[in-house]
Amino acid sequence: MPKGYWVSVYRTISDPEKLAAYNKLAGPAVRAGGGRLLARDGRVAAHDAGIAERTILIEFDSFEQAVAARESAAYQEALAALSDGVERDFRIVEGID
């Protein structure tokens, strides 16, 4: 079964306090949903129209698990804390078997 991935690239961070509140809630919500953090805040080499800002990569055992974790009550609480504190591009992608 193909794995699922969350890919999140932050375009701007306008409220670091909201991001900190989100981080406190999001980490446990992701782990509870079966997610494993693969990359966060490391070096980024952006090309084409890419943005060399905060980039997060999280792996799940399946695409369905990744979607369910995003929809979970715990992660929705994290999103509420984040609110308008950032502008980001968030995607859930299916891996290749």
Coordinates of all heavy atoms in Angstrom, one line a residue:
M1 N 0.9 -1.2 0.0 CA 0.0 0.0 0.0 C 0.9 1.2 0.0 O 1.8 1.4 0.8 CB -0.9 0.0 1.2 CG -1.7 1.3 1.4 SD -2.8 1.3 2.9 CE -3.9 -0.1 2.5
P2 N 0.6 2.2 -0.9 CA 1.4 3.4 -0.9 C 1.3 4.3 0.4 O 0.2 4.3 0.9 CB 0.9 4.2 -2.1 CG 0.1 3.2 -2.9 CD -0.4 2.2 -2.0
K3 N 2.4 4.9 0.8 CA 2.3 5.7 1.9 C 1.7 7.1 1.6 O 1.5 7.4 0.4 CB 3.7 5.9 2.5 CG 4.3 4.6 3.0 CD 5.7 4.9 3.6 CE 6.2 3.5 4.2 NZ 7.4 3.7 4.9
G4 N 1.4 7.8 2.6 CA 0.8 9.2 2.4 C 1.8 10.2 3.1 O 2.5 9.8 4.1
Y5 N 1.8 11.3 2.5 CA 2.7 12.4 3.0 C 2.0 13.7 3.2 O 1.3 14.1 2.3 CB 3.9 12.5 2.1 CG 4.8 11.3 2.0 CD1 4.5 10.3 1.0 CD2 5.8 11.1 2.8 CE1 5.2 9.2 0.9 CE2 6.6 9.9 2.7 CZ 6.3 9.0 1.8 OH 7.0 7.8 1.7
W6 N 2.3 14.4 4.2 CA 2.0 15.8 4.3 C 3.2 16.6 3.9 O 4.3 16.4 4.4 CB 1.7 16.2 5.8 CG 0.4 15.7 6.4 CD1 -0.5 14.8 5.8 CD2 -0.1 16.1 7.6 NE1 -1.6 14.6 6.7 CE2 -1.4 15.4 7.8 CE3 0.3 16.9 8.6 CZ2 -2.1 15.5 9.0 CZ3 -0.5 17.1 9.8 CH2 -1.7 16.4 9.9
V7 N 3.0 17.6 3.0 CA 4.0 18.5 2.6 C 3.5 19.9 2.9 O 2.5 20.3 2.3 CB 4.4 18.3 1.1 CG1 5.5 19.2 0.7 CG2 4.7 16.8 0.8
S8 N 4.2 20.6 3.7 CA 3.8 21.9 4.1 C 5.0 22.9 3.9 O 6.0 22.7 4.5 CB 3.3 21.9 5.5 OG 2.8 23.2 5.9
V9 N 4.7 23.9 3.1 CA 5.7 25.0 2.9 C 5.2 26.3 3.3 O 4.1 26.7 2.8 CB 6.1 25.0 1.4 CG1 7.2 26.1 1.1 CG2 6.7 23.7 0.9
Y10 N 5.8 26.9 4.2 CA 5.4 28.2 4.8 C 5.9 29.4 3.9 O 7.1 29.5 3.7 CB 5.9 28.4 6.2 CG 5.2 27.4 7.2 CD1 5.4 26.1 7.1 CD2 4.4 27.9 8.1 CE1 4.7 25.2 7.9 CE2 3.7 27.1 9.0 CZ 3.9 25.7 8.9 OH 3.2 24.9 9.8
R11 N 5.0 30.1 3.4 CA 5.3 31.3 2.6 C 5.7 32.5 3.5 O 6.7 33.1 3.2 CB 4.1 31.7 1.7 CG 3.8 30.6 0.7 CD 2.6 31.0 -0.2 NE 2.2 30.0 -1.1 CZ 2.9 29.6 -2.2 NH1 3.9 30.2 -2.5 NH2 2.4 28.6 -2.9
T12 N 4.9 32.7 4.5 CA 5.2 33.7 5.5 C 4.7 33.3 6.9 O 3.8 32.5 7.0 CB 4.5 35.1 5.1 OG1 3.1 34.9 5.2 CG2 4.9 35.6 3.8
I13 N 5.4 33.8 7.9 CA 5.0 33.6 9.3 C 4.8 35.0 9.8 O 5.7 35.7 10.1 CB 6.1 32.8 10.0 CG1 6.3 31.4 9.4 CG2 5.7 32.7 11.5 CD1 7.5 30.7 10.0
S14 N 3.5 35.3 10.0 CA 3.2 36.7 10.5 C 3.0 36.8 12.0 O 3.1 37.8 12.5 CB 1.9 37.2 9.7 OG 0.8 36.3 10.0
D15 N 2.7 35.6 12.6 CA 2.5 35.6 14.0 C 3.2 34.4 14.7 O 2.6 33.3 14.7 CB 1.0 35.6 14.3 CG 0.7 35.8 15.8 OD1 1.6 35.5 16.7 OD2 -0.4 36.4 16.1
P16 N 4.5 34.5 15.1 CA 5.2 33.4 15.7 C 4.6 32.8 16.9 O 4.7 31.6 17.2 CB 6.6 34.0 16.0 CG 6.7 35.2 15.1 CD 5.3 35.7 14.9
E17 N 3.8 33.6 17.6 CA 3.1 33.1 18.8 C 2.0 32.1 18.4 O 1.9 31.0 19.1 CB 2.6 34.2 19.7 CG 3.7 35.0 20.4 CD 3.1 36.1 21.2 OE1 1.9 36.2 21.4 OE2 3.9 36.9 21.7
K18 N 1.3 32.4 17.4 CA 0.3 31.4 16.9 C 0.9 30.2 16.3 O 0.4 29.1 16.5 CB -0.6 32.1 15.8 CG -1.6 33.1 16.4 CD -2.4 33.7 15.3 CE -3.4 34.7 15.9 NZ -4.3 35.3 14.9
L19 N 2.1 30.3 15.7 CA 2.8 29.2 15.2 C 3.3 28.3 16.3 O 3.2 27.1 16.3 CB 4.0 29.6 14.3 CG 4.8 28.5 13.7 CD1 4.0 27.5 12.9 CD2 6.0 29.0 12.9
A20 N 3.8 28.9 17.4 CA 4.2 28.2 18.6 C 3.0 27.4 19.2 O 3.2 26.2 19.6 CB 4.9 29.1 19.6
A21 N 1.9 28.0 19.3 CA 0.7 27.4 19.9 C 0.3 26.2 19.0 O -0.1 25.1 19.5 CB -0.4 28.4 20.0
Y22 N 0.3 26.4 17.7 CA 0.0 25.3 16.7 C 1.0 24.2 16.9 O 0.6 23.0 17.0 CB 0.1 25.9 15.3 CG 0.2 24.8 14.3 CD1 -0.9 24.2 13.8 CD2 1.4 24.4 13.7 CE1 -0.8 23.2 12.8 CE2 1.5 23.5 12.7 CZ 0.4 22.9 12.3 OH 0.5 21.9 11.3
N23 N 2.3 24.5 17.0 CA 3.3 23.4 17.1 C 3.1 22.6 18.4 O 3.3 21.3 18.3 CB 4.7 24.0 17.2 CG 5.2 24.5 15.8 OD1 4.7 24.0 14.8 ND2 6.1 25.4 15.8
K24 N 2.7 23.2 19.5 CA 2.4 22.4 20.7 C 1.3 21.4 20.5 O 1.4 20.3 21.1 CB 2.0 23.4 21.9 CG 3.2 24.1 22.5 CD 2.7 24.9 23.7 CE 3.7 24.9 24.8 NZ 3.2 25.7 25.9
L25 N 0.3 21.8 19.8 CA -0.8 20.9 19.5 C -0.7 20.0 18.4 O -1.1 18.8 18.4 CB -2.1 21.7 19.3 CG -2.5 22.6 20.5 CD1 -3.6 23.6 20.1 CD2 -3.0 21.8 21.7
A26 N 0.0 20.4 17.3 CA 0.1 19.7 16.1 C 1.0 18.4 16.2 O 0.6 17.3 15.7 CB 0.6 20.5 14.9
G27 N 2.1 18.5 16.9 CA 3.0 17.4 17.1 C 2.3 16.2 17.7 O 2.3 15.1 17.1
P28 N 1.6 16.3 18.9 CA 0.9 15.2 19.4 C -0.2 14.7 18.5 O -0.5 13.5 18.4 CB 0.4 15.7 20.7 CG 1.3 16.9 21.1 CD 1.7 17.5 19.8
A29 N -0.9 15.6 17.8 CA -2.0 15.2 16.9 C -1.5 14.4 15.8 O -2.1 13.4 15.4 CB -2.7 16.4 16.4
V30 N -0.3 14.8 15.2 CA 0.3 14.0 14.1 C 0.7 12.7 14.6 O 0.4 11.7 13.9 CB 1.4 14.8 13.5 CG1 2.3 14.0 12.6 CG2 0.9 16.1 12.8
R31 N 1.4 12.6 15.7 CA 1.8 11.3 16.2 C 0.7 10.4 16.5 O 0.7 9.2 16.2 CB 2.7 11.5 17.4 CG 4.1 12.1 17.1 CD 5.1 12.1 18.3 NE 4.6 13.0 19.3 CZ 4.9 14.3 19.3 NH1 5.5 14.9 18.3 NH2 4.5 15.0 20.4
A32 N -0.4 10.9 17.1 CA -1.6 10.1 17.4 C -2.2 9.6 16.1 O -2.8 8.5 16.2 CB -2.6 11.0 18.2
G33 N -2.1 10.3 15.0 CA -2.6 9.9 13.8 C -1.7 9.0 13.0 O -2.0 8.6 11.9
G34 N -0.6 8.7 13.6 CA 0.3 7.7 12.9 C 1.4 8.4 12.1 O 2.2 7.7 11.4
G35 N 1.6 9.7 12.2 CA 2.5 10.4 11.4 C 3.9 10.4 12.0 O 4.1 10.4 13.2
R36 N 4.9 10.4 11.1 CA 6.3 10.4 11.5 C 7.0 11.6 10.8 O 7.0 11.7 9.5 CB 7.0 9.1 11.0 CG 6.5 7.9 11.8 CD 7.0 6.6 11.3 NE 6.6 6.3 9.9 CZ 5.4 5.9 9.5 NH1 4.5 5.7 10.3 NH2 5.2 5.7 8.2
L37 N 7.6 12.5 11.5 CA 8.2 13.7 11.0 C 9.5 13.2 10.3 O 10.4 12.6 10.9 CB 8.5 14.6 12.2 CG 9.2 16.0 11.8 CD1 8.2 16.8 11.0 CD2 9.5 16.7 13.1
L38 N 9.6 13.6 9.0 CA 10.8 13.3 8.3 C 11.8 14.5 8.1 O 13.0 14.3 8.0 CB 10.5 12.7 6.9 CG 9.6 11.4 6.9 CD1 9.4 11.0 5.4 CD2 10.4 10.3 7.6
A39 N 11.2 15.7 7.9 CA 12.0 16.9 7.7 C 11.2 18.1 8.3 O 10.0 18.2 8.2 CB 12.2 17.1 6.3
R40 N 12.0 19.0 9.0 CA 11.5 20.2 9.5 C 12.6 21.2 9.7 O 13.6 21.0 10.3 CB 10.8 20.0 10.8 CG 10.2 21.3 11.4 CD 9.6 21.1 12.8 NE 10.7 20.9 13.7 CZ 10.5 20.2 14.8 NH1 9.4 19.7 15.2 NH2 11.5 20.0 15.6
D41 N 12.4 22.4 9.1 CA 13.3 23.5 9.3 C 14.7 23.3 8.9 O 15.6 24.0 9.4 CB 13.2 24.0 10.8 CG 11.8 24.5 11.2 OD1 11.1 24.9 10.3 OD2 11.5 24.4 12.4
G42 N 15.0 22.3 8.1 CA 16.4 22.1 7.7 C 16.7 23.0 6.5 O 16.0 23.9 6.2
R43 N 17.8 22.7 5.9 CA 18.2 23.5 4.7 C 17.3 23.2 3.6 O 16.8 22.1 3.4 CB 19.6 23.2 4.4 CG 20.6 23.5 5.5 CD 22.1 23.4 5.1 NE 22.4 22.1 4.5 CZ 23.5 21.9 3.9 NH1 24.5 22.8 3.8 NH2 23.7 20.7 3.3
V44 N 17.0 24.3 2.8 CA 16.1 24.2 1.6 C 16.8 24.8 0.4 O 17.3 25.9 0.6 CB 14.8 24.9 1.9 CG1 13.9 24.9 0.6 CG2 14.0 24.2 3.1
A45 N 16.8 24.1 -0.7 CA 17.3 24.7 -1.9 C 16.1 24.8 -2.8 O 15.6 23.8 -3.3 CB 18.4 23.8 -2.6
A46 N 15.6 26.0 -3.0 CA 14.4 26.2 -3.8 C 14.8 26.5 -5.2 O 15.8 27.2 -5.5 CB 13.6 27.4 -3.2
H47 N 14.0 26.0 -6.1 CA 14.2 26.2 -7.6 C 12.9 26.6 -8.2 O 11.8 26.4 -7.7 CB 14.8 24.9 -8.2 CG 16.1 24.5 -7.6 ND1 17.3 25.0 -8.0 CD2 16.3 23.5 -6.7 CE1 18.2 24.4 -7.3 NE2 17.7 23.6 -6.5
D48 N 13.0 27.1 -9.4 CA 11.8 27.5 -10.2 C 11.0 28.5 -9.4 O 11.6 29.5 -9.0 CB 11.0 26.3 -10.7 CG 11.9 25.4 -11.6 OD1 12.7 25.9 -12.3 OD2 11.7 24.2 -11.5
A49 N 9.8 28.2 -9.1 CA 9.0 29.2 -8.3 C 8.9 28.8 -6.8 O 8.1 29.2 -6.1 CB 7.5 29.2 -8.9
G50 N 9.9 27.9 -6.4 CA 9.9 27.4 -5.0 C 10.3 28.5 -4.1 O 10.8 29.6 -4.4
I51 N 10.0 28.3 -2.8 CA 10.2 29.2 -1.7 C 11.1 28.5 -0.7 O 10.8 27.5 -0.2 CB 8.9 29.7 -1.1 CG1 8.0 30.4 -2.1 CG2 9.1 30.6 0.1 CD1 6.6 30.7 -1.6
A52 N 12.2 29.1 -0.4 CA 13.2 28.6 0.6 C 12.8 29.0 2.0 O 13.6 29.7 2.6 CB 14.6 29.0 0.2
E53 N 11.7 28.6 2.4 CA 11.2 28.9 3.8 C 11.0 27.6 4.5 O 11.3 26.5 4.0 CB 9.9 29.7 3.7 CG 10.1 31.1 3.1 CD 11.0 32.0 4.0 OE1 11.1 31.8 5.2 OE2 11.6 32.9 3.4
R54 N 10.4 27.7 5.7 CA 10.1 26.5 6.5 C 9.4 25.5 5.7 O 8.3 25.8 5.1 CB 9.3 27.0 7.7 CG 9.0 25.9 8.7 CD 8.3 26.5 9.9 NE 8.5 25.7 11.1 CZ 7.5 25.1 11.8 NH1 6.3 25.2 11.4 NH2 7.8 24.4 12.8
T55 N 9.9 24.3 5.7 CA 9.3 23.2 5.0 C 9.2 22.0 5.9 O 10.1 21.6 6.6 CB 10.1 22.8 3.7 OG1 10.2 24.0 2.9 CG2 9.5 21.7 3.0
I56 N 8.0 21.3 5.9 CA 7.7 20.2 6.8 C 7.3 19.0 5.9 O 6.5 19.1 5.0 CB 6.6 20.5 7.8 CG1 6.7 21.8 8.4 CG2 6.4 19.3 8.7 CD1 7.9 22.0 9.3
L57 N 7.9 17.8 6.2 CA 7.5 16.6 5.5 C 7.2 15.5 6.6 O 8.0 15.2 7.4 CB 8.7 16.1 4.6 CG 8.4 14.8 3.9 CD1 7.2 14.9 2.9 CD2 9.7 14.4 3.1
I58 N 6.0 15.0 6.5 CA 5.5 14.0 7.5 C 5.0 12.8 6.7 O 4.3 12.9 5.7 CB 4.4 14.6 8.4 CG1 4.9 15.7 9.2 CG2 3.8 13.5 9.3 CD1 3.9 16.5 10.0
E59 N 5.4 11.6 7.2 CA 5.0 10.3 6.5 C 4.0 9.6 7.3 O 4.0 9.5 8.5 CB 6.3 9.5 6.4 CG 6.0 8.1 5.7 CD 7.3 7.3 5.6 OE1 7.8 6.9 6.7 OE2 7.8 7.0 4.5
F60 N 3.0 9.0 6.6 CA 2.0 8.1 7.2 C 2.0 6.8 6.4 O 2.5 6.7 5.3 CB 0.6 8.8 7.0 CG 0.4 10.0 7.8 CD1 0.8 11.2 7.3 CD2 -0.2 10.0 9.1 CE1 0.7 12.4 8.1 CE2 -0.3 11.1 9.8 CZ 0.1 12.4 9.3
D61 N 1.5 5.8 7.1 CA 1.5 4.4 6.5 C 0.6 4.4 5.2 O 0.9 3.5 4.4 CB 1.0 3.4 7.5 CG 2.1 3.1 8.5 OD1 3.3 3.4 8.3 OD2 1.7 2.7 9.6
S62 N -0.3 5.3 5.1 CA -1.2 5.3 3.9 C -1.7 6.7 3.6 O -1.7 7.5 4.5 CB -2.4 4.3 4.0 OG -3.3 4.8 5.0
F63 N -2.2 6.9 2.4 CA -2.8 8.2 2.0 C -4.0 8.4 2.9 O -4.3 9.5 3.4 CB -3.2 8.2 0.6 CG -3.8 9.4 0.1 CD1 -3.1 10.5 -0.2 CD2 -5.2 9.5 -0.1 CE1 -3.6 11.7 -0.7 CE2 -5.8 10.7 -0.5 CZ -5.0 11.8 -0.8
E64 N -4.8 7.3 3.1 CA -6.0 7.5 3.9 C -5.7 7.8 5.3 O -6.5 8.6 5.9 CB -6.8 6.1 3.8 CG -7.4 5.8 2.5 CD -6.4 5.3 1.5 OE1 -5.3 4.9 1.8 OE2 -6.8 5.4 0.2
Q65 N -4.7 7.3 5.9 CA -4.3 7.6 7.2 C -3.9 9.1 7.3 O -4.2 9.8 8.3 CB -3.1 6.7 7.7 CG -2.8 6.9 9.2 CD -1.6 6.0 9.6 OE1 -0.7 5.8 8.8 NE2 -1.6 5.6 10.8
A66 N -3.2 9.6 6.3 CA -2.8 11.0 6.2 C -4.0 11.9 6.2 O -4.0 13.0 6.9 CB -1.9 11.3 5.0
V67 N -5.0 11.6 5.4 CA -6.2 12.4 5.3 C -7.0 12.4 6.6 O -7.4 13.4 7.1 CB -7.1 11.9 4.1 CG1 -8.5 12.5 4.2 CG2 -6.4 12.1 2.8
A68 N -7.1 11.2 7.2 CA -7.8 11.1 8.5 C -7.1 11.9 9.6 O -7.8 12.5 10.4 CB -7.9 9.6 8.9
A69 N -5.8 11.9 9.6 CA -5.0 12.7 10.6 C -5.3 14.1 10.5 O -5.5 14.9 11.4 CB -3.6 12.4 10.6
R70 N -5.4 14.6 9.2 CA -5.7 16.0 8.9 C -7.1 16.4 9.4 O -7.3 17.5 9.9 CB -5.5 16.3 7.4 CG -6.0 17.6 6.9 CD -5.1 18.8 7.4 NE -5.4 20.0 6.7 CZ -6.4 20.8 6.9 NH1 -7.4 20.4 7.7 NH2 -6.5 22.0 6.3
E71 N -8.0 15.5 9.3 CA -9.4 15.7 9.7 C -9.7 15.5 11.1 O -10.8 15.8 11.6 CB -10.3 14.9 8.8 CG -10.2 15.2 7.3 CD -11.0 14.3 6.4 OE1 -11.5 13.2 6.9 OE2 -11.1 14.6 5.2
S72 N -8.7 14.9 11.9 CA -9.0 14.6 13.3 C -9.3 15.8 14.1 O -8.9 16.9 13.8 CB -7.7 13.9 13.9 OG -6.7 14.8 14.1
A73 N -10.0 15.6 15.2 CA -10.4 16.7 16.1 C -9.1 17.3 16.7 O -9.0 18.6 16.8 CB -11.3 16.2 17.2
A74 N -8.1 16.5 17.0 CA -6.9 17.1 17.6 C -6.2 18.0 16.7 O -5.7 19.0 17.0 CB -6.0 15.9 18.1
Y75 N -6.1 17.6 15.4 CA -5.4 18.5 14.4 C -6.2 19.7 14.1 O -5.7 20.8 13.9 CB -5.0 17.7 13.2 CG -4.1 18.5 12.3 CD1 -2.8 18.7 12.7 CD2 -4.5 19.1 11.1 CE1 -1.9 19.6 12.0 CE2 -3.7 19.9 10.4 CZ -2.4 20.1 10.8 OH -1.5 21.0 10.1
Q76 N -7.5 19.6 14.1 CA -8.4 20.7 13.9 C -8.2 21.8 15.0 O -8.2 23.0 14.7 CB -9.9 20.3 13.7 CG -10.1 19.5 12.5 CD -9.7 20.2 11.2 OE1 -10.1 21.3 11.0 NE2 -8.9 19.5 10.4
E77 N -8.0 21.3 16.2 CA -7.7 22.2 17.3 C -6.4 22.9 17.1 O -6.3 24.1 17.3 CB -7.6 21.4 18.6 CG -7.4 22.3 19.8 CD -7.3 21.5 21.1 OE1 -7.6 20.3 21.1 OE2 -7.0 22.1 22.1
A78 N -5.4 22.2 16.5 CA -4.1 22.9 16.2 C -4.3 23.9 15.1 O -3.7 25.0 15.2 CB -3.1 21.8 15.8
L79 N -5.1 23.6 14.1 CA -5.3 24.6 13.0 C -6.0 25.8 13.6 O -5.7 26.9 13.1 CB -6.1 23.9 11.9 CG -5.4 23.0 11.0 CD1 -6.4 22.3 10.0 CD2 -4.2 23.6 10.3
A80 N -6.9 25.6 14.5 CA -7.6 26.8 15.1 C -6.7 27.7 15.8 O -6.8 28.9 15.8 CB -8.7 26.3 16.0
A81 N -5.7 27.1 16.5 CA -4.7 27.9 17.2 C -3.8 28.6 16.2 O -3.3 29.7 16.5 CB -3.8 27.0 18.1
L82 N -3.5 28.0 15.1 CA -2.7 28.6 14.0 C -3.4 29.8 13.4 O -2.8 30.8 13.1 CB -2.3 27.6 13.0 CG -1.3 28.1 11.9 CD1 0.0 28.6 12.4 CD2 -1.1 26.9 10.9
S83 N -4.7 29.6 13.1 CA -5.5 30.6 12.5 C -4.9 31.3 11.3 O -4.4 30.7 10.4 CB -5.9 31.6 13.6 OG -6.8 32.6 13.2
D84 N -4.7 32.6 11.4 CA -4.1 33.4 10.3 C -2.7 33.8 10.6 O -2.2 34.7 10.1 CB -5.0 34.7 10.1 CG -5.0 35.6 11.3 OD1 -4.5 35.1 12.4 OD2 -5.5 36.7 11.2
G85 N -2.0 33.0 11.5 CA -0.7 33.3 11.8 C 0.4 33.0 10.8 O 1.5 33.5 10.9
V86 N 0.0 32.2 9.8 CA 1.0 31.9 8.7 C 0.2 31.9 7.4 O -1.0 31.7 7.3 CB 1.7 30.6 8.9 CG1 2.4 30.5 10.2 CG2 0.7 29.4 8.8
E87 N 1.0 31.9 6.3 CA 0.5 31.6 5.0 C 1.3 30.4 4.5 O 2.5 30.5 4.5 CB 0.6 32.8 4.0 CG 0.1 32.4 2.6 CD 0.4 33.5 1.6 OE1 0.9 34.6 2.0 OE2 0.2 33.2 0.4
R88 N 0.6 29.3 4.2 CA 1.4 28.1 3.8 C 0.7 27.4 2.7 O -0.5 27.5 2.5 CB 1.6 27.2 5.0 CG 0.4 26.6 5.6 CD 0.7 25.7 6.8 NE -0.5 25.0 7.2 CZ -0.6 24.0 8.0 NH1 0.6 23.5 8.4 NH2 -1.7 23.4 8.3
D89 N 1.5 26.5 2.0 CA 1.0 25.6 1.0 C 1.0 24.2 1.7 O 2.1 23.7 2.0 CB 1.9 25.7 -0.2 CG 1.4 24.8 -1.3 OD1 0.5 24.0 -1.2 OD2 2.1 24.9 -2.4
F90 N -0.1 23.6 1.9 CA -0.3 22.3 2.6 C -0.9 21.4 1.6 O -1.9 21.6 1.0 CB -1.1 22.5 3.8 CG -1.3 21.2 4.6 CD1 -0.4 20.9 5.6 CD2 -2.3 20.3 4.2 CE1 -0.6 19.7 6.3 CE2 -2.4 19.1 4.9 CZ -1.6 18.8 6.0
R91 N -0.2 20.2 1.4 CA -0.7 19.2 0.5 C -0.6 17.8 1.2 O 0.3 17.6 2.0 CB 0.1 19.1 -0.8 CG 0.1 20.4 -1.5 CD 1.2 20.4 -2.6 NE 1.2 21.8 -3.1 CZ 1.0 22.1 -4.4 NH1 0.8 21.1 -5.3 NH2 1.1 23.3 -4.8
I92 N -1.5 16.9 0.8 CA -1.4 15.5 1.2 C -1.2 14.8 -0.1 O -2.0 14.9 -1.1 CB -2.7 15.0 1.9 CG1 -2.9 15.8 3.2 CG2 -2.5 13.5 2.2 CD1 -4.2 15.5 3.9
V93 N -0.1 14.1 -0.2 CA 0.2 13.4 -1.5 C 0.4 11.9 -1.2 O 0.8 11.5 -0.1 CB 1.5 13.9 -2.2 CG1 1.3 15.3 -2.6 CG2 2.7 13.8 -1.3
E94 N 0.0 11.1 -2.2 CA 0.2 9.6 -2.1 C 1.5 9.2 -2.7 O 1.9 9.7 -3.7 CB -0.9 9.0 -2.9 CG -0.9 7.4 -2.8 CD -2.1 6.8 -3.5 OE1 -2.3 7.1 -4.7 OE2 -2.8 6.0 -2.9
G95 N 2.2 8.4 -1.9 CA 3.5 7.9 -2.4 C 3.4 6.9 -3.5 O 2.3 6.5 -3.8
I96 N 4.5 6.5 -4.0 CA 4.6 5.5 -5.0 C 4.9 4.2 -4.3 O 5.8 4.1 -3.4 CB 5.7 5.8 -6.0 CG1 5.4 7.1 -6.7 CG2 5.9 4.6 -7.0 CD1 6.5 7.6 -7.6
D97 N 4.2 3.1 -4.6 CA 4.3 1.8 -4.0 C 5.7 1.3 -4.0 O 6.5 1.5 -4.9 CB 3.4 0.8 -4.7 CG 2.7 -0.1 -3.7 OD1 2.8 0.1 -2.5 OD2 2.0 -1.0 -4.2

